[in-house]
Amino acid sequence: MQRFNHPLTVAIHDTARVGVFAMSLIWMAQRGSRATVGGDEGVLSFPSPAPDKGATALDLVHQAADVFRDMEKRARETEARAHSLCTSALERLRLAEARAEAAERAQHEFTVTTERKLQDACRALEQAQCCIEAQKDKLTAVELRAEVAETEARQAKEALALVEEAIRKRLLCANPRADGRLATVA
């Protein structure tokens, strides 16, 4: 478990240290010692005993109050930074959620559009297949009519040839003129 996981924990821990520090200062005041806080936090220097114990105790109380104020200030700053970090993290989370929702909506719209286009394409393919089948049926009917027409034309040609033959035999045999006019007319 982390020792410092929340600004309040830091403040409580620092307050406990200051309480121990303040008790040390009071004890030193009662003994006539004077402690000063140097540039480094928590480093005490012990000068020679002061002759006036009341002034020393008052000085130690002022020093303890200064330390408490500094600690409270740091705790407030730490809390403000933590609050700022939390606010920033929440905002980033909201933005990420909004982007995720937008992406989901876009994906859904894309899926719906794709499905609609696929359905349209399937309908168009079915219509094209129906048209192709209809054209095949028409082509088959045209081919059959063409075959019938060819057969009829062949039969008509044969019948015409028979009629022509019959006309030549009967007409040419009935009129024996051989001048060639009839032969060229026929």
Side-chain angles (χ1 to χ4, degrees):
M1 183 174 169
Q2 284 185 333
R3 187 172 180 178
F4 302 107
N5 58 357
H6 190 271
L8 181 60
T9 305
V10 173
I12 291 172
H13 181 72
D14 287 346
T15 304
R17 278 192 356 215
V18 169
V20 171
F21 178 69
M23 291 179 69
S24 298
L25 291 176
I26 292 170
W27 178 80
M28 288 188 299
Q30 290 172 350
R31 301 284 181 265
S33 302
R34 179 183 167 115
T36 58
V37 178
D40 294 330
E41 183 180 318
V43 177
L44 299 174
S45 60
F46 297 97
S48 59
D52 185 9
K53 292 183 181 183
T56 302
L58 186 58
D59 187 38
L60 290 174
V61 168
H62 286 297
Q63 289 178 14
D66 290 342
V67 169
F68 274 115
R69 275 192 295 275
D70 289 343
M71 287 177 49
E72 287 175 351
K73 180 181 174 186
R74 279 195 305 274
R76 280 191 301 272
E77 290 170 353
T78 302
E79 185 177 356
R81 277 194 310 271
H83 182 69
S84 174
L85 288 173
C86 287
T87 302
S88 174
L90 283 174
E91 185 60 28
R92 286 193 310 265
L93 180 62
R94 281 189 206 114
L95 290 173
E97 287 174 346
R99 284 193 304 267
E101 289 174 4
E104 287 175 6
R105 278 193 306 274
Q107 181 182 10
H108 178 71
E109 290 173 6
F110 177 76
T111 302
V112 168
T113 302
T114 303
E115 287 176 358
R116 189 177 324 116
K117 287 180 180 180
L118 184 59
Q119 289 172 353
D120 292 344
C122 286
R123 278 193 293 272
L125 180 60
E126 289 172 1
Q127 289 175 350
Q129 287 174 339
C130 288
C131 288
I132 289 171
E133 290 298 322
Q135 293 298 326
K136 282 182 181 179
D137 291 344
K138 286 180 183 179
L139 180 62
T140 303
V142 167
E143 287 174 348
L144 287 175
R145 282 195 302 266
E147 287 178 13
V148 168
E150 284 177 7
T151 303
E152 288 174 354
R154 192 173 38 253
Q155 289 173 352
K157 194 175 186 180
E158 289 173 3
L160 182 61
L162 288 175
V163 169
E164 195 175 273
E165 180 79 22
I167 290 174
R168 273 191 208 151
K169 284 183 184 177
R170 289 194 183 171
L171 286 180
L172 293 177
C173 292
N175 190 0
R177 278 181 35 189
D179 59 352
R181 271 204 261 156
L182 200 59
T184 55
V185 171

